[in-house]
Amino acid sequence: MSDSVNSLTAFNESLALAKQLGDPRGEADAISGIGLNNIDQGDFISATSLIDQARTIYEGLGVREQVSRTISNLGIVAYYRGDMAQAQILFQDALVIGDEINNPVRVAGSLINLGSVALVRGKRVEAHDYWEQSLTVMRQIGDQRGIAKSLHGLGSIARDQGELAAARNYYQEGLVLFKRAGNVSSQGQLINELGGLSFMEGDFSGSRRAFEQNLEIRRAINDRREVAIILNALGNLRLFASNYTEADAYLKESLNILQELGAQAEIAQVLCDFGFLRLARDVEADLISKSFCDCLALAQSHEIV
């Protein structure tokens, strides 16, 4: 039985017990847990409904820390669905509450999330500032996972600026911390980032090994969104190697998963990559145009740069 199924069973049992005992806090905790499980499974509509239900209960109980946490989780769902404007609002709201209750973990976590939104929107200076702030707070409180997440963000800024050696240092330091914390999912993310750096440095075999290693991790934990993102990366690698048949297969599998999940930001990227594949294969101009137009329309509607 998968960890996801085990977790869902435990949350459902906890919810039934909390209802039996008349424990609203326990109900909210269980409902929130089910919602988070649904995020992992890519069921964003159900996740939004459940997490918002938990938020309402926490607000009625006056549990401000959990209100901040659930608002942040709603922001994560909005982010995954490509709604950057809504994600920005929710993460900012979570930050305000975290600051009001003087909770550095909630503050720093919100800063990390705001940095991710800023990066997607092309605001790299703003993203850098958010991650520098979160790194300072996380180091002060000794939160190793938070430090690693902040380093991940700063590594992405360095990568986008062409500072590949600095980016690698950030990613590798973060990977060590995630390994210590036993966070397999986040380890996979940084392995993928290192694979991307290898590609930029011309080490294509090293890049493919990293992507395939992360793909194995993601399939094992049934992280469908990340599986799709890695398949897209592998498709681009095969495109670069002029292996158009394999590239097409990877991109199609990626697009099918993302469309099932409704992950608009990632769908836009894959559609764009299909445009480049069709250019490389010299197919009909109208198909090439459609790929790029669909990509542009999604990007504009969700403020994706």
Side-chain angles (χ1 to χ4, degrees):
M1 187 179 291
S2 71
D3 289 342
S4 175
V5 173
N6 285 330
S7 296
L8 185 58
T9 300
F11 286 133
N12 280 320
E13 290 175 352
S14 175
L15 178 59
L17 182 58
K19 286 182 176 180
Q20 181 181 340
L21 296 174
D23 176 9
R25 171 64 188 269
E27 284 188 45
D29 290 345
I31 291 168
S32 181
I34 296 169
L36 291 174
N37 184 82
N38 288 353
I39 291 177
D40 291 340
Q41 299 307 306
D43 185 355
F44 299 142
I45 294 175
S46 176
T48 299
S49 176
L50 289 165
I51 294 169
D52 196 46
Q53 183 181 344
R55 178 190 59 77
T56 300
I57 297 173
Y58 289 133
E59 284 182 340
L61 295 172
V63 188
R64 299 278 282 161
E65 179 183 354
Q66 292 302 101
V67 172
S68 176
R69 186 187 300 275
T70 50
I71 289 174
S72 182
N73 288 333
L74 288 169
I76 290 170
V77 176
Y79 179 89
Y80 284 167
R81 296 182 72 177
D83 189 347
M84 296 304 145
Q86 181 67 6
Q88 171 85 24
I89 291 169
L90 290 165
F91 291 146
Q92 192 66 48
D93 287 348
L95 174 63
V96 169
I97 295 173
D99 191 48
E100 287 174 353
I101 63 176
N102 194 29
N103 187 318
V105 174
R106 303 305 327 147
V107 168
S110 297
L111 290 169
I112 290 171
N113 291 331
L114 286 164
S116 298
V117 172
L119 185 64
V120 172
R121 297 173 109 173
K123 300 178 180 180
R124 291 184 176 83
V125 174
E126 187 176 309
H128 183 273
D129 289 345
Y130 280 131
W131 284 324
E132 281 283 9
Q133 291 177 62
S134 67
L135 181 60
T136 298
V137 176
M138 290 299 190
R139 288 198 192 281
Q140 288 173 347
I141 62 179
D143 188 318
Q144 300 299 297
R145 290 179 67 241
I147 293 169
K149 288 181 179 180
S150 302
L151 291 168
H152 185 177
L154 291 170
S156 297
I157 296 293
R159 176 203 62 207
D160 289 353
Q161 293 175 336
E163 300 169 2
L164 303 190
R168 186 171 291 277
N169 287 337
Y170 281 127
Y171 289 152
Q172 287 177 334
E173 184 181 351
L175 183 58
V176 169
L177 294 175
F178 280 135
K179 284 181 177 178
R180 287 178 187 168
N183 191 313
V184 176
S185 176
S186 295
Q187 287 177 50
Q189 288 180 349
L190 286 180
I191 288 169
N192 213 60
E193 297 286 18
L194 289 166
L197 288 182
S198 295
F199 179 83
M200 295 173 75
E201 293 166 343
D203 180 6
F204 305 128
S205 59
S207 181
R208 184 169 188 175
R209 283 195 302 273
F211 291 155
E212 289 176 343
Q213 182 182 356
N214 189 24
L215 182 61
E216 184 176 346
I217 291 171
R218 298 300 170 179
R219 289 198 191 278
I221 62 177
N222 197 29
D223 187 340
R224 299 181 69 223
R225 176 178 175 273
E226 287 295 327
V227 165
I229 290 171
I230 301 160
L231 289 168
N232 184 37
L234 286 166
N236 278 296
L237 271 180
R238 304 318 293 151
L239 172 59
F240 192 83
S242 300
N243 189 329
Y244 302 139
T245 300
E246 283 191 20
D248 185 74
Y250 279 127
L251 293 178
K252 281 180 178 175
E253 185 179 356
S254 174
L255 185 60
N256 286 339
I257 294 171
L258 292 170
Q259 287 176 333
E260 288 175 7
L261 298 179
Q264 300 301 309
E266 290 79 11
I267 290 171
Q269 180 60 60
V270 178
L271 288 172
C272 191
D273 292 336
F274 261 120
F276 288 116
L277 173 60
R278 286 163 174 165
L279 271 175
R281 298 180 81 168
D282 195 27
V283 300
E284 295 88 345
D286 59 337
L287 286 177
I288 296 171
S289 177
K290 184 178 187 308
S291 294
F292 287 127
C293 286
D294 289 347
C295 168
L296 180 60
L298 270 179
Q300 289 177 335
S301 65
H302 291 84
E303 298 187 68
I304 302 162
V305 177

